[in-house]
Amino acid sequence: MAPSTADAASSGRTSPRRGVWVFPSAPAPALVDAIVAAEALGVDEFWIGDEGPARDPFAVLAAAARLTSRIRLGIAVTNPYLRHPMTTAIEAMTIDELSNGRMLLGLGPGGHVALGPAGVERSRPLAAVREALRLIRAVSRGESTEGYDPPPGAFTRPGLQVHIGSRSRRFQELASREADGVFLGGIPRSALGQTIAWAHSVRTIPLGVYSTGVFGEADAEALRPRMIMPLADSPDHTLDALGLERVAVRAAAEALLEGDATAAQRLMTDEIFDDLIISGTPDRIGGELAARVERFAPSTIGLTFTTADPLRVVEHSASAFEVMNRRLHR
């Protein structure tokens, strides 16, 4: 079990919350079981992606809300295109009510995995996310605004937290101006410092730093070509930092979707792969997480996974967090 808050306080340092994010590829009951186990193992946050034709994260979190009492429940991220913002707000508010205020709504522009199967174009993404944030705030607070007029006795949850999740500078600056926090997932290690600076450019907000985690060499090699997919949606500054051309990355991603991993394997060199993920034993991963906490001082530190066995990665993550806390408080 990870050290308690009291243990952290007695060490003279403040521990960040510890979190896990998963792609909703596992069966829904397995995801709910993983959330329950995560709480028992001392994990503080559990986030699920909203990725189009996969398990519905709102339904999974609603099921977990009544089986847990402490862990915060998040969606990172939903987009403004596939649901009306009022619907998104009401679903999140319902989970917030079920969980007694533990819901975290992550909002971002969405990527090809979520939008592509529906044939939806990502039009004016910054404006779309800003508009959705405005409407979600109005719905949660029961306030009239352009595009929303609450009926008498409308359901409200004014404390609903909305975080922005994106790798783009403009979205970090939007989060710094208007959001309750920022979810930074899939940011290369070499770009984290600059990205965090953008997220704190207007005001200091809660910062969640989530890195792709892989326990074991075989899992790492299986993941290697698939890491081209998040890069295909990355902003120019990320690709520039990695020395990659967008045309080549998108071509490799499209080929991978067709079953050909050759180009993705070629582009995903050891140097780039190591910049994108944290891999190895729980001891090694815990040490790397401790180093990121010491350097960036996030509110939450976490690991992201695409896995058919969410319980396994939760157990390994809890071990890594235990190592992290020992190193932070020694």
Side-chain angles (χ1 to χ4, degrees), residues 81-97:
Y81 302 105
L82 297 180
R83 293 181 185 87
H84 190 283
M86 185 187 76
T87 301
T88 298
I90 291 298
E91 290 182 335
M93 290 157 57
T94 302
I95 297 170
D96 196 57
E97 184 178 53

Side-chain angles (χ1 to χ4, degrees), residues 5-277:
T5 303
D7 293 334
S10 66
S11 72
R13 296 184 182 180
T14 300
S15 286
R17 289 185 296 272
R18 297 142 296 178
V20 171
W21 177 99
V22 297
F23 186 97
S25 53
L31 292 170
V32 173
D33 289 346
I35 296 171
V36 173
E39 178 172 88
L41 290 168
V43 176
D44 301 303
E45 296 180 359
F46 197 105
W47 299 75
I48 302 179
D50 187 13
E51 299 295 347
R55 276 72 177 184
D56 176 23
F58 291 95
V60 171
L61 295 185
R66 299 298 288 169
L67 299 175
T68 55
S69 61
R70 180 190 59 82
I71 194 167
R72 304 208 303 177
L73 308 170
I75 289 176
V77 295
T78 194
N79 64 79
Y81 302 105
L82 297 180
R83 293 181 185 87
H84 190 283
M86 185 187 76
T87 301
T88 298
I90 291 298
E91 290 182 335
M93 290 157 57
T94 302
I95 297 170
D96 196 57
E97 184 178 53
L98 285 167
S99 66
N100 195 27
R102 291 182 283 128
M103 177 64 188
L104 303 168
L105 177 60
L107 182 64
H112 179 76
V113 173
L115 304 179
V120 173
E121 293 292 329
R122 193 165 66 174
S123 174
R124 300 174 65 245
L126 184 66
V129 170
R130 184 189 295 115
E131 174 75 356
L133 177 59
R134 181 181 64 81
L135 287 169
I136 289 168
R137 293 279 201 225
V139 175
S140 67
R141 296 169 180 172
E143 299 171 348
S144 294
T145 187
E146 183 180 353
Y148 179 69
D149 186 17
F155 172 43
T156 62
R157 294 291 293 182
L160 178 69
Q161 291 196 36
V162 185
H163 293 220
I164 297 295
S166 174
R167 296 181 284 270
S168 167
R169 174 177 183 171
R170 295 182 301 166
F171 284 92
Q172 307 309 326
E173 293 170 344
L174 172 63
S176 190
R177 287 193 307 271
E178 302 181 29
D180 296 306
V182 64
F183 183 95
L184 299 180
I187 309 292
R189 181 175 60 252
S190 60
L192 262 176
Q194 178 62 78
T195 305
I196 290 170
W198 292 331
H200 287 334
S201 59
V202 179
R203 60 191 175 99
T204 300
I205 57 175
L207 181 74
V209 173
Y210 279 72
S211 305
T212 301
V214 188
F215 295 103
E217 185 175 341
D219 287 349
E221 287 311 305
L223 177 65
R224 182 187 292 263
R226 298 204 305 271
M227 289 303 294
I228 205 69
M229 298 306 298
L231 286 181
D233 289 321
S234 291
D236 290 340
H237 73 266
T238 298
L239 298 184
D240 290 344
L242 296 173
L244 293 172
E245 297 289 337
R246 183 169 299 280
V247 171
V249 170
R250 284 183 172 170
E254 290 172 3
L256 184 65
L257 289 173
E258 296 295 326
D260 182 0
T262 305
Q265 287 278 15
R266 184 177 65 253
L267 290 178
M268 196 58 57
T269 64
D270 289 345
E271 182 179 9
I272 291 175
F273 193 47
D274 289 344
D275 203 3
L276 292 171
I277 71 163

